[in-house]
């Protein structure tokens, strides 16, 4: 079962581009990279050469005679005579390139040769991608892929672009959703939150119509990620990275969700562990949300790199980390209030990153003033508050009304309530989070 993805249109546009460079599709394991590339290849090329550097180790020798397109094609043909190279009609796919980063050196020569289209893909675990980056700058295009966002989940459930456009119109016109719409979209969003966006898990849920076995699939994925750490990380770093990974749910459960390295292990210091956090981020497993020095524009450079929160890049991983009782409470009772709001924040962080935002929060020293996330228009900074219920937003009101924050004139509150607007606070249901960037592009604030 192939699920429609946003990369589908990107790949079609890439194929017809006048300045088409070899493409590298980046992202974590099991988010659907290979399936999307192969589906695109099947629909758009008469001839496809697929090479997987994990399952077919012999192909790691194809650059032994140099990196020119001709030398590599010759060696591929020696290994498998069934592979034919038809000029201007062939797509060559190099998969799992983290296992053979040397192939990236050839991208320059394939671009200059011009007879074949090239797509590379890899899980980017460990340090190997740094080697890929260093030898292919200027001769490749990168595409960052994620697991399914809620829009793609709606597509998988049979909803089309018309439904998405109507949801956005509700936001733009501040028109509350009907009770039926709130029920339908709310239930779908809860299912998405429980499942996460891994294509295999979502496809299983759609085919079976239940959550049966999805938890086992999620927990197996966590075990796979831990095994990848052991495979790709060096020596002592393995233990440190795994310690950070395993402590994410524990620290998200705290009222103060700032990640504290000192809690990871006895005597742990920031300077010894920061590379581990960076590793998990590069691997596509986590999102990092930095604490701003002060809530003002610009966002980049205006933060403390030693203060941050860590969220799972796919909320399904957080779900799989919960105990069986919490899982049952969520699935049976729809009780998303468990875990002290961690699920709410993780879901919104995930939606913002998948929309193209970087993550920032603010916590004023010696004060209760705190905001979960920030987005922006061309001229203003917009705090985003994540609420478990549609309650009062003291910090949000303070930032909007206080003269100490001149870049902030309005704010957004996400909750399980309906659309509303009062005192420059715009309230939207959680299931609209994936539309925030499109909404902000046309907001007249």
């Amino acid at each position: 079962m192939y699920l429609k993805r946003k990369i589908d249109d990107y790949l079609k546009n890439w194929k017809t581009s006048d300045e088409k460079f070899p493409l590298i599709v980046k992202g974590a394991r099991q988010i659907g990279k290979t399936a999307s590339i192969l589906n695109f290849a099947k629909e758009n090329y008469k001839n496809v050469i697929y090479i997987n550097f994990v399952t077919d180790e012999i192909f790691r020798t194809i650059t032994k005679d140099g990196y020119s397109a001709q030398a590599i094609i010759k060696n591929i043909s020696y290994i498998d005579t069934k592979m034919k190279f038809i000029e201007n009609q062939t797509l060559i796919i190099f998969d799992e390139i983290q296992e053979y980063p040397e192939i990236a050196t050839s991208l320059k020569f394939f671009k200059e040769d011009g007879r074949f289209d090239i797509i590379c893909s890899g899980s980017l675990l460990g340090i190997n991608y740094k080697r890929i980056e260093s030898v292919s700058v200027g001769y490749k295009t990168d595409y960052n892929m994620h697991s399914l966002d809620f829009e793609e989940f709606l597509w998988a459930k049979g909803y089309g672009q018309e439904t998405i456009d109507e949801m956005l119109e509700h936001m733009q016109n501040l028109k509350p959703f009907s009770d039926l719409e709130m029920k339908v979209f709310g239930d779908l969003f809860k299912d998405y939150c429980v499942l996460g966006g891994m294509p295999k898990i979502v496809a299983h849920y759609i085919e079976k119509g239940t959550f049966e076995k999805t938890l086992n699939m999620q927990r197996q994925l966590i075990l796979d990620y831990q095994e990848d750490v052991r495979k790709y990380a060096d020596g002592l770093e393995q233990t440190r990275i795994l310690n950070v990974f395993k402590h994410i749910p524990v620290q998200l459960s705290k009222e103060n969700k700032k990640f504290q390295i000192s809690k990871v292990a006895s005597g742990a210091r920031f300077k010894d562990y920061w590379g581990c956090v960076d590793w998990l981020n590069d691997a596509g497993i986590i999102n990092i949300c930095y604490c701003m020095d002060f809530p003002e524009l610009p966002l980049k450079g205006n933060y403390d790199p030693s203060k941050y929160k860590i969220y799972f890049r796919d909320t399904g991983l957080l779900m799989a980390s919960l105990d069986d009782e919490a899982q049952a409470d969520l699935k049976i009772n729809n009780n998303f209030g468990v875990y002290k709001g961690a699920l709410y924040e993780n879901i919104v962080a995930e939606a913002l990153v998948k929309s193209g935002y970087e993550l920032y929060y603010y916590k004023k020293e010696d004060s209760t003033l705190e905001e979960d996330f920030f987005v922006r228009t061309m001229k203003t900074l917009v705090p985003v508050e994540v609420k478990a219920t549609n309650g009062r937003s003291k910090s949000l009101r303070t930032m909007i009304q206080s003269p100490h924050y001149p870049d902030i004139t309005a704010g957004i509150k996400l909750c399980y309530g309906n659309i509303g607007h009062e005192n420059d606070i715009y309230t939207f249901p959680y299931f609209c989070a994936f539309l925030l960037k499109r909404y902000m592009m046309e907001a007249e604030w």
Side-chain angles (χ1 to χ4, degrees), residues 10-11 13-25 45 91 107-112 114 116-120 136-142:
Y10 179 89
L11 290 173
N13 292 333
W14 170 80
K15 185 179 188 300
T16 58
S17 172
D18 293 334
E19 278 295 320
K20 179 171 50 183
F21 286 81
L23 177 65
I24 297 181
V25 179
Y45 289 87
L91 173 65
L107 299 184
K108 171 184 177 181
F109 300 100
F110 273 107
K111 168 61 180 173
E112 293 173 345
F116 310 101
D117 291 348
I118 307 292
I119 297 181
C120 302
S136 56
V137 172
Y139 294 97
K140 65 176 177 59
T141 299
D142 288 340

Side-chain angles (χ1 to χ4, degrees), residues 155-171:
W155 294 346
K157 292 290 290 183
Y159 295 90
Q161 189 59 44
E162 182 179 351
T163 299
I164 309 301
D165 292 342
E166 289 176 356
M167 294 174 71
L168 182 58
E169 287 175 8
H170 272 277
M171 298 174 68

Side-chain angles (χ1 to χ4, degrees), residues 283-352:
I285 298 173
I286 65 169
N287 289 318
I288 304 174
C289 182
Y290 291 104
C291 183
M292 299 176 67
D293 294 320
F294 188 80
E296 63 183 357
L297 296 173
L299 287 169
K300 287 191 174 182
N302 177 26
Y303 64 88
D304 185 340
S306 68
K307 296 179 182 178
Y308 52 88
K309 299 178 184 179
I310 297 178
Y311 300 101
F312 284 112
R313 196 162 294 188
D314 186 278
T315 303
L317 294 179
L318 176 56
M319 293 295 304
S321 302
L322 303 181
D323 56 40
D324 292 341
E325 291 74 19
Q327 286 271 348
D329 195 12
L330 285 163
K331 293 176 180 177
I332 297 172
N333 303 317
N334 286 329
N335 183 13
F336 278 73
V338 300
Y339 226 60
K340 299 184 179 179
L343 290 172
Y344 295 101
E345 287 190 29
N346 204 100
I347 289 162
V348 173
E350 179 184 345
L352 293 177

Side-chain angles (χ1 to χ4, degrees), residues 199-416:
K200 184 177 180 180
I201 296 173
V202 173
H204 179 85
Y205 153 82
I206 291 174
E207 290 174 347
K208 301 297 182 182
T210 70
F211 292 110
E212 181 184 2
K213 297 183 179 180
T214 57
L215 176 57
N216 291 338
M217 297 169 71
Q218 289 171 323
R219 288 182 172 167
Q220 182 58 53
L221 181 58
I222 285 184
L223 293 175
D224 291 342
Y225 277 133
Q226 292 174 348
E227 183 59 32
D228 284 333
V229 173
R230 297 184 184 96
K231 179 178 180 180
Y232 290 100
D234 296 326
L236 182 61
E237 290 298 294
Q238 295 179 13
T239 301
R240 289 175 175 170
I241 292 169
L242 288 172
N243 280 342
V244 171
F245 181 71
K246 292 175 181 178
H247 274 78
I248 296 171
V250 177
Q251 299 209 27
L252 279 178
S253 70
K254 308 297 183 183
E255 291 293 345
N256 176 15
K257 296 177 176 61
K258 185 183 79 169
F259 197 84
Q260 296 175 286
I261 291 295
S262 61
K263 303 294 185 182
V264 170
S266 177
R269 298 176 300 177
F270 174 82
K271 68 176 184 177
D272 296 327
Y273 273 81
W274 173 245
C276 303
V277 176
D278 199 31
W279 194 99
L280 289 167
N281 185 54
D282 289 344
I285 298 173
I286 65 169
N287 289 318
I288 304 174
C289 182
Y290 291 104
C291 183
M292 299 176 67
D293 294 320
F294 188 80
E296 63 183 357
L297 296 173
L299 287 169
K300 287 191 174 182
N302 177 26
Y303 64 88
D304 185 340
S306 68
K307 296 179 182 178
Y308 52 88
K309 299 178 184 179
I310 297 178
Y311 300 101
F312 284 112
R313 196 162 294 188
D314 186 278
T315 303
L317 294 179
L318 176 56
M319 293 295 304
S321 302
L322 303 181
D323 56 40
D324 292 341
E325 291 74 19
Q327 286 271 348
D329 195 12
L330 285 163
K331 293 176 180 177
I332 297 172
N333 303 317
N334 286 329
N335 183 13
F336 278 73
V338 300
Y339 226 60
K340 299 184 179 179
L343 290 172
Y344 295 101
E345 287 190 29
N346 204 100
I347 289 162
V348 173
E350 179 184 345
L352 293 177
V353 169
K354 288 178 176 179
S355 299
Y357 284 113
E358 296 182 4
L359 300 180
Y360 302 94
Y361 77 101
Y362 180 68
K363 174 70 170 70
K364 187 176 182 180
E365 295 291 342
D366 303 320
S367 171
T368 59
L369 185 68
E370 182 174 7
E371 279 304 332
D372 301 310
F373 304 105
F374 289 85
V375 296
R376 64 167 300 175
T377 65
M378 289 294 293
K379 299 179 180 179
T380 63
L381 182 65
V382 183
V384 178
E385 187 159 294
V386 179
K387 300 288 285 186
T389 59
N390 193 2
R392 299 174 66 84
S393 304
K394 182 179 178 181
S395 291
L396 201 54
R397 293 200 312 274
T398 298
M399 284 194 164
I400 294 169
Q401 297 171 1
S402 172
H404 297 297
Y405 310 107
D407 289 341
I408 298 173
T409 60
I412 291 173
K413 180 171 67 175
L414 295 172
C415 64
Y416 271 119

